[in-house]
Amino acid sequence: MINQSTTAIVLRTVEFSETSLIVTLLTKDLGRISALAKGARRLKGPFEGSLDLLSVCAITLIGKPGDTLDLLTESKLRRRFRGAQRSLDRLHAGYYIAEMLRLLVDDDDPHGELFDMTLSAMGMIDGDGPVAETLLAFDAQCLRLLGHSPATDRCTVCGKDVERSRRRASFSLVGGGVVCETCRPAQSHLMTVSWDALGALRELARDPGGDGDGAANPATQSGEHGISEGTLSVNPSPEDPAPLPSAAFPIGRLFPSLTPAIYRDLRGLLNHTLEALIGKTPRMQAFLPSKLDSH
C-alpha cells in the first residue's frame, strides 16, 4: 500500500453505505481513479464538505493492489464549482464536462495536459466565459489530447488531400475524418459538414501553446472570478480557503469566429463524433447550448 498525494477534480460520487461514498476523481498525476471515502456522508465527516461535484481538491489516498478500491484518507477543498449560482446553462455545462471525462478517460491513465485543460474550461464556465465556445473547445481538445482528433484536410481512407468539389465535405464517423470523392461511395456512416465548420474545428483542436502572438479572444478576459484566458482564480476566499494555481492551458486562445450556422454544424459534428467514439449518446448532450452565447 502506498500513500499518494495529488490534486483532483470530483467527477462523481455514489453512496456506498450509510456513512461512505465511492468517489470518481480526475487527477493530474494518476489519471482517473475511483476511491472509497469512509465517513464522507457524516455531517461532521473527515472531508469537510470537499467532495461536491466538480470541486477541486488536494487529496491523499492509499493505493490498493488489484481491483480493490483505493482508500481516500484526506481531501482539502481548493475550489468549489459555482456555475449553478450563475445560470442553468453553466450548471449543465459543468455536468457535461464531468460526464465526458468519465466516459473518455481510462482508469489509471494520467493526462496532465488534459487535467490543465479541464481546469481552464471550468474557469471559463464558472465565471464569465462563453459557455458554447468553451464546450466546443473542451470537446475538440479532449479528442486531440486522447489521440482521437478528426482528420480535416486529408482523406481518412487514402490519405490524399480532400478537394472542395462539393459544397459540403463528407465526414466518416467510423473513420474519424473527411473522405475524398473517390473513397466516399464505399464508406458507411457518413455525414456532411461545411468547410467553414472544419476550419473552425482545426482552430479549436490546435495546441494553444504553439501560438506565437498569444492573443486571446476579448470574451475570455477577466470576469467575476478572476478568470483570464480560461484559468481559475488564484485568490483564496473564506469559502475557497486554499489558493488554486492557475491552469497552464490558455483555452481562451482557441476560440474562432463563429456564425450561428457554423456553430450548429460544428456542434453536430462533435456530438456525432463523440457518440461514435464512446458507443452511446451522453446523457448531458441534450442540455448543450443550442446557440452561441450573447456577448
Side-chain angles (χ1 to χ4, degrees):
M1 297 187 294
I2 302 174
N3 280 5
Q4 297 170 302
S5 298
T6 186
T7 302
I9 303 169
V10 180
L11 301 183
R12 181 169 61 180
T13 61
V14 178
E15 294 179 3
F16 179 73
S17 67
E18 291 185 0
T19 60
S20 302
L21 293 172
I22 294 176
V23 188
T24 302
L25 304 164
L26 180 70
T27 72
K28 184 165 184 174
D29 305 312
L30 307 173
R32 190 187 69 181
I33 59 174
S34 294
L36 178 61
K38 293 183 177 180
R41 299 184 62 199
R42 294 182 185 138
L43 292 178
K44 295 184 178 181
F47 300 105
E48 303 178 358
S50 62
L51 298 178
D52 293 335
L53 185 65
L54 289 174
S55 290
V56 181
C57 312
I59 66 166
T60 301
L61 55 84
I62 298 175
K64 298 293 187 71
D67 296 330
T68 307
L69 284 172
D70 294 337
L71 181 62
L72 189 65
T73 59
E74 185 178 24
S75 176
K76 299 292 186 182
L77 180 67
R78 305 193 75 184
R79 183 73 190 181
R80 195 183 302 279
F81 178 69
R82 303 190 183 283
Q85 299 176 8
R86 302 184 58 78
S87 73
L88 192 58
D89 282 345
R90 294 182 186 275
L91 174 64
H92 288 161
Y95 287 174
Y96 176 79
I97 285 176
E99 180 182 17
M100 294 310 296
L101 290 170
R102 295 198 311 269
L103 293 173
L104 290 170
V105 181
D106 293 329
D107 287 337
D108 304 316
D109 185 16
H111 292 279
E113 194 174 5
L114 178 67
F115 184 89
D116 288 339
M117 187 274 293
T118 300
L119 285 185
S120 189
M122 287 169 52
M124 285 287 182
I125 291 168
D126 208 24
D128 295 323
V131 176
E133 289 95 323
T134 299
L135 291 180
L136 288 178
F138 171 81
D139 284 342
Q141 288 297 319
C142 278
L143 291 171
R144 178 182 75 88
L145 295 169
L146 296 174
H148 303 294
S149 193
T152 57
D153 294 306
R154 295 180 179 273
C155 176
T156 190
V157 179
C158 69
K160 295 180 180 179
D161 289 338
V162 175
E163 298 180 359
R164 298 193 180 194
S165 57
R166 291 175 178 259
R167 187 175 62 88
R168 293 170 66 85
S170 296
F171 189 96
S172 169
L173 295 172
V174 175
V178 292
V179 294
C180 66
E181 287 301 301
T182 302
C183 298
R184 183 176 64 86
Q187 303 306 306
S188 60
H189 299 90
L190 290 179
M191 65 178 292
T192 65
V193 61
S194 70
W195 297 102
D196 288 337
L198 288 176
L201 179 57
R202 280 192 294 272
E203 289 294 300
L204 289 164
R206 74 184 192 276
D207 180 357
D211 285 357
D213 55 12
N217 187 311
T220 69
Q221 298 306 312
S222 295
E224 180 179 326
H225 294 297
I227 295 164
S228 177
E229 298 243 358
T231 62
L232 288 176
S233 171
V234 299
N235 300 317
S237 70
E239 294 182 326
D240 297 318
L244 177 69
S246 297
F249 195 103
I251 199 169
R253 299 183 185 182
L254 298 172
F255 299 162
S257 296
L258 297 173
T259 65
I262 294 174
Y263 172 74
R264 288 193 298 271
D265 226 21
L266 183 51
R267 185 68 266 170
L269 174 62
L270 285 169
N271 285 352
H272 289 305
T273 298
L274 289 164
E275 287 173 357
L277 180 62
I278 64 179
K280 65 179 182 178
T281 301
R283 292 180 59 189
M284 291 306 301
Q285 192 181 95
F287 299 93
L288 291 173
S290 59
K291 58 184 180 179
L292 294 167
D293 303 44
S294 299
H295 302 309

